[in-house]
Structures are given as C-alpha cells and as structure tokens.
Amino acid sequence: MNKYARYILIGAIAILQLFAIKSAYTQAPDKRLNIIYIMSDDHAYQAISAYGYGLNQTPNIDKLADQGVLFKRAYVTNSICGPSRAVMLTGKFSHVNGFTDNHSTFDGNQQTVAKLLHNSGYTTAVIGKWHLVSDPQGFDYWNIHPGQGDYYNPDFIENGVRKRVEGYSTNLVTDFTIKWLDQRDKSKPFFLMYQQKAPHRNWMPEPKYYHLFDSIQFPIPANFFDDYSTRTSAAHEQEMEIARHMKDTYDLKLAFDLPKEKQQGYNAIWQNMYDRLTPEEKKKWEEAYKPSNDAFYKANLSGKELALWKYQHYMKDYLRCVQSVDDNVGRLMEYLKANGLDKNTIIIYTSDQGFFLGEHGWFDKRWMYEESFRTPLIVKWPGVTNKKTVTESMVQNVDLAETILDMAGLPIPGDMQGKSFVPLLKGKQKGNVHDALYYHFYENQEHKVAKHIGVRTDRYKLIYFYEKNEWELYDLQKDSSEMHNVYNDAAYSKVQGQLKQKLQELKKQYNDPVPEKIQ
C-alpha cells in the first residue's frame, strides 16, 4: 500500500470513529433529573397546612414538604401575577425583564430558563396559566389559558390554536399535563411548568366542594379591623378591603343571572363567567348558593357583622378552590409514581406571590407587607432532600431560574440577578441566601396600591412610597403583624439610616432607575 492510500485509509477510519462516537453520544440516555415547576396563582402560605396555620388541610402538598425543604421566608420582587412569572422565567428584576405590571407584554425573545434548558437537551412544556400576553417561547409544547383564564369550561390556547374545553380548569390543567407526559419525547429529561389558575379571584369552587367548610367559622385575624392609624396615606387610600371593596356578584356570588341593565363593570365580568356554566352546572350552582344567599338577605346585616359575613364567605370559597389544587397535585404525584418518574423528578411548589386572607382587613396582594410579599416555596429533590427540612433562610423568586439551571448542571448566565440556593438544598450552606431583599411594586391602578420600593432584612423592613415621599419602618421582631410604623420613632433613627443606605445599595446593585432619587 502506498503512502497516499495509507493516508486515505487512516482518514476514513478516523471519520468512521467520529461517526461512531457521535452516534454513541446521541444515543446515550440523558440521565439528568426531570424538573416540574408547580405554580398556583395567589396561593397564600397560610392556606397550606404544612405551614401550620390550621385553616385547611392540603395533604398532597404536605407530602412534598415531608420529603423536601419548606421555606418559611421565600419572597417575591414584585407582588403581582404577570411580573412575578416574568421574574421567575428570566432570573431578572421587573425593570430589567421589561414586565413591570399586568399591563405589560413579555418580550419572549429574551433569555429564559426554559430556553436555556431546551437548548441543553431538555424537552419543555408549559401548561395552564401563563398571563404574560405574548406567546410562550422555548417550549416544545404549550397549552395555556388566555389572560386570567376561567374556572368553568375555560378557553385554552394549544400551540397557537384557541379552543373552549368543557370541564373545571384545575382538573383540566392536570389532564393536559398527564397527556403531555405520556406523549413527550422520553429520550430526554423534561422541564415542565404546571401552572394553575386557582385560587385566583373570583374563587369559583368545583361542584364537589360547594359545601366544604359549611359548618366552619374561620378565626378572624387579630388585625382584621385595622384602622391604619400609624401608617402612611397609602394604607388609607387602598381599595382592597373585604368589608368595603368586595363585589356582591363577582366576588360574593350574591346573584346569578343579572338583567341586562345591571351588566356593567364587575357585574358584566361575573355574567360572562356565569354564562360559561352549562344549564346543569347552573342548576347545581344555584342549589348550592341560593339558601345561604337567601339567609344573608333576610338577616340584613350591616357594620362589623356584614364585614365578618363577607370574610367567612370569601375564606370558604377561596379554600374550596385550594382543595382542588391540592387534589390535583396528588393526581400528578400518583402519575409520576405509577410511571417510575418519582425517583428522578425534582418538584418545586410555589405561588406567584402571597395573598391576604383577612389580615389588615384585606384580600389581594401587591403590598410589601408580609402576607403579600412572602410566598410559599417547597422543593422536593430525590436523593438530596429525603426528609422534611424547614429553613428560615431568605430567598426570592429571582433566585429560581439560577437554582433550576444549577439543578440541571448548567452554567448560570452572568446577567441573571439572583442566587442559586442549591447549596442550601444540599445542606452545604447555612444562614441566609440573601442578607437583605429588594422590592419594587409599580402598578397604582387596580386596588389603588401606591407604588413603592423597599428593603427587608432579618429583623427590619423599610418601605418607601416614592410618589408620595412617605416612609414606613417595621421592627418585625417586635411587630410581626406590621401594625406599628416606627419610621418617626427616635429610638429607630440609627436603624432608619442603615436601612436607607442598604436600600440605596440594592437599588444600585440591581440597576433600578426608578425612583431617580430617594429623599
């Protein structure tokens, strides 16, 4: 064989070896763990029994905590639905990812955790509530509610095709999720965002829970009749009080079919929701709600008695919706176990933020006060978190993208603004992930909550309502319910100065341009 033939033969062998290596690599199973990110909407940590508030029982979510890490101090950067979702996807604060309030549109062309996982070989899906206006990107499959979604016979947009589906939203999201899990590319690990509409306002339970809690009277929060006497004007001007601002039809379901002349505003929204029910569903609904409505009108309540009746009515419907969420977490976990996926799938359970369950007399979220600012977070990681662990470490939803990438063994982009808390989950880190948290709420429209920024440390919280130039300061060790604003208390002058300095530092660290000056 001459040297040229030998070179050709050696070259051919080398090419064949490269093909063989590539073939073996592409055919080798990807053994990285699957990741399911479960987000419910407006699910208060007080309404998860693992957190110990005693309002209800959530056995299936509790099982995740029994084999995972329960975070008692997980927080958000901006307590409202769409912005919180954008922060989680991007690992960036609202002013950086561009989705500052629910009137924004998410720029889907930007970097997200879903795209990074997809590009690394994960098959990806998002099912349920999306609430970011633009179409999802970075997902092999998406099947989402348009906007807020509906509880009964909701619309879904499946990979761009919109259709109405008969059934109850919380169950349907799980149906579609299980169907996708059955049909996915099983040669790849998966990243699934399983996102429920419930228990978002206006709290329409499924029929089997219409009478759950009928015999229960829920305890009234100690500050339910808060008069905001030490707070700034912001607390006085809000429009989210259970007593004064809940709507008779939309929220409290005190009427069903409304005459045309009354179908304006929230009444029109309610009528559209109610008209989604089939005649049979309407019959069941009216059979369930009419007796209590008749009793309410006969009682002719006013003042505090009326406020307390509204509170009980709200709590029962809210927690009935939570019960369906918990049921469906159980359904999904049973599917994973039956299909051999429970041992190689990480589960993250959270909400888009916290929610007021009567504290300060309120419903809804938005505020930097604890019930709104703080969110439930439970992480179950097979082989890493095998028994219940409760942590007081402060983490934030801006950390989730980096944590998920770290779980998948992927590099974390330098422009993300959070911190991976994987070392904490693995027991390699003690203490706080953050020594101080930064917050910014932008939307002074629905419920009239003033725009504000703030900082929270282990013990203190400073809030600045920058369009009003008003401040609130709380000593959380002495005043966990945030009833006593000590901003003007001379005993806290040093603390006030330290917190203002920290707020300035965090604002600069995260490159937040608003407000331009802190006075």
Side-chain angles (χ1 to χ4, degrees):
M1 179 183 296
N2 63 40
K3 63 179 181 179
Y4 298 107
R6 187 165 64 252
Y7 291 154
I8 292 170
L9 179 60
I10 291 171
I13 292 171
I15 291 170
L16 289 171
Q17 286 175 333
L18 284 173
F19 274 116
I21 292 169
K22 182 178 180 182
S23 178
Y25 177 79
T26 56
Q27 291 177 18
D30 191 333
K31 295 186 181 297
R32 289 180 293 176
L33 293 187
N34 309 307
I35 303 170
I36 298 181
Y37 176 83
I38 305 175
M39 177 185 276
S40 298
D41 195 298
D42 294 346
H43 192 177
Y45 57 86
Q46 309 95 294
I48 295 176
S49 47
Y51 278 91
Y53 287 81
L55 294 174
N56 61 333
Q57 295 298 315
T58 52
N60 295 298
I61 298 173
D62 289 1
K63 286 179 184 177
L64 300 179
D66 288 342
Q67 298 177 4
V69 177
L70 182 146
F71 288 79
K72 295 191 75 173
R73 296 201 298 177
Y75 295 89
V76 297
T77 65
N78 183 0
S79 181
I80 191 165
C81 304
S84 181
R85 295 162 193 272
V87 167
M88 175 269 157
L89 275 169
T90 61
K92 299 173 183 176
F93 281 79
S94 300
H95 63 279
V96 178
N97 67 50
F99 202 100
T100 58
D101 57 39
N102 276 343
H103 302 280
S104 305
T105 297
F106 185 68
D107 177 8
N109 293 319
Q110 65 185 299
Q111 171 186 274
T112 66
V113 65
K115 288 182 180 179
L116 293 168
L117 288 167
H118 185 271
N119 293 344
S120 79
Y122 274 76
T123 184
T124 55
V126 57
I127 300 171
K129 186 164 181 179
W130 175 245
H131 205 217
L132 292 174
V133 185
S134 59
D135 289 345
Q137 294 186 33
F139 297 95
D140 295 296
Y141 176 80
W142 50 278
N143 195 356
I144 59 172
H145 290 304
Q148 295 282 7
D150 288 280
Y151 277 104
Y152 279 85
N153 306 316
D155 287 0
F156 281 86
I157 305 173
E158 185 177 24
N159 288 346
V161 179
R162 182 166 177 160
K163 55 189 173 184
R164 184 170 296 192
V165 184
E166 187 173 321
Y168 186 69
S169 170
T170 312
N171 300 328
L172 290 170
V173 169
T174 309
D175 292 344
F176 291 135
T177 295
I178 289 173
K179 182 179 178 181
W180 178 79
L181 286 168
D182 272 338
Q183 297 177 352
R184 76 187 193 283
D185 182 348
K186 295 182 175 63
S187 69
K188 299 179 178 181
F190 64 81
F191 172 62
L192 166 66
M193 298 181 69
Y194 165 75
Q195 305 193 145
Q196 293 288 8
K197 169 193 171 59
H200 190 278
R201 190 183 184 193
N202 67 336
W203 319 296
M204 295 177 72
E206 67 173 308
K208 71 177 181 179
Y209 288 131
Y210 283 161
H211 296 289
L212 183 67
F213 307 120
D214 273 0
S215 61
I216 300 294
Q217 288 291 300
F218 290 102
I220 309 302
N223 58 359
F224 182 77
F225 291 108
D226 189 351
D227 63 4
Y228 322 116
S229 59
T230 73
R231 252 64 58 79
T232 62
S233 65
H236 294 266
E237 294 169 1
Q238 48 67 36
E239 295 181 359
M240 52 190 290
E241 292 173 39
I242 291 170
R244 294 196 298 139
H245 300 119
M246 278 193 160
K247 310 301 180 185
D248 287 353
T249 53
Y250 180 72
D251 293 318
L252 300 171
K253 298 94 174 176
L254 285 168
F256 309 131
D257 282 308
L258 301 172
K260 290 289 184 183
E261 62 270 17
K262 290 190 175 181
Q263 293 182 25
Q264 295 96 28
Y266 275 97
N267 281 351
I269 299 171
W270 162 250
Q271 191 65 50
N272 288 333
M273 290 177 167
Y274 189 64
D275 283 344
R276 284 183 170 270
L277 276 66
T278 65
E280 183 181 351
E281 288 169 338
K282 284 186 175 183
K283 184 173 183 292
K284 290 180 180 179
W285 181 275
E286 293 177 16
E287 287 173 351
Y289 280 86
K290 190 174 186 302
S292 62
N293 287 0
D294 290 346
F296 166 78
Y297 285 118
K298 185 177 180 180
N300 194 27
L301 303 173
S302 62
K304 287 189 174 182
E305 287 186 338
L306 177 58
L308 294 174
W309 183 89
K310 289 181 177 181
Y311 168 75
Q312 295 294 338
H313 197 84
Y314 157 55
M315 288 293 290
K316 290 174 184 181
D317 275 350
Y318 177 92
L319 292 173
R320 288 163 181 157
C321 292
V322 169
Q323 210 64 39
S324 295
V325 170
D326 187 71
D327 288 349
N328 280 276
V329 169
R331 282 182 62 202
L332 181 55
M333 295 307 111
E334 287 173 6
Y335 173 89
L336 296 179
K337 185 174 183 180
N339 288 271
L341 295 169
D342 57 320
K343 297 293 191 286
N344 66 343
T345 302
I346 297 168
I347 309 294
I348 300 168
Y349 186 91
T350 190
S351 175
D352 45 0
Q353 70 276 310
F355 211 70
F356 291 103
L357 300 183
E359 300 86 1
H360 303 287
W362 294 342
F363 66 101
D364 208 70
K365 56 263 185 178
R366 302 167 202 267
W367 294 91
M368 199 186 173
Y369 299 152
E370 287 292 287
E371 292 83 6
S372 167
F373 180 34
R374 182 179 158 196
T375 192
L377 178 62
I378 298 169
V379 180
K380 174 181 175 287
W381 186 348
V384 174
T385 64
N386 296 316
K387 62 180 181 179
K388 184 171 184 177
T389 303
V390 177
T391 179
E392 296 274 355
S393 179
M394 290 199 302
V395 299
Q396 208 163 14
N397 62 342
V398 73
D399 302 325
L400 286 166
E402 296 187 32
T403 299
I404 290 169
L405 292 173
D406 203 358
M407 288 171 163
L410 296 177
I412 296 170
D415 59 351
M416 287 189 172
Q417 296 180 296
K419 294 181 180 179
S420 169
F421 52 81
V422 162
L424 178 72
L425 295 171
K426 290 183 174 180
K428 295 179 179 179
Q429 177 179 337
K430 305 297 181 185
N432 284 320
V433 172
H434 299 274
D435 66 345
L437 303 175
Y438 183 69
Y439 182 83
H440 194 157
F441 177 76
Y442 297 81
E443 181 185 319
N444 184 12
Q445 296 186 49
E446 183 81 6
H447 297 300
K448 305 301 181 188
V449 177
K451 298 176 182 180
H452 55 286
I453 60 174
V455 58
R456 190 208 196 279
T457 63
D458 267 330
R459 178 169 176 175
Y460 300 105
K461 182 184 295 180
L462 182 69
I463 306 173
Y464 179 42
F465 300 95
Y466 52 86
E467 290 187 335
K468 295 174 170 289
N469 193 27
E470 295 179 344
W471 294 85
E472 293 180 2
L473 171 62
Y474 296 98
D475 183 339
L476 300 171
Q477 183 175 298
K478 294 182 178 180
D479 178 26
S480 61
S481 297
E482 295 165 298
M483 295 290 288
H484 305 289
N485 174 19
V486 296
Y487 181 78
N488 292 314
D489 187 333
Y492 287 89
S493 60
K494 183 178 180 181
V495 170
Q496 180 196 119
Q498 291 170 339
L499 289 173
K500 279 191 174 181
Q501 179 63 34
K502 191 64 179 178
L503 183 62
Q504 291 273 22
E505 290 171 1
L506 291 175
K507 186 175 181 296
K508 183 178 180 181
Q509 176 184 332
Y510 296 124
N511 299 312
D512 190 353
V514 177
E516 187 175 343
K517 293 182 180 180
I518 295 178
Q519 300 180 16

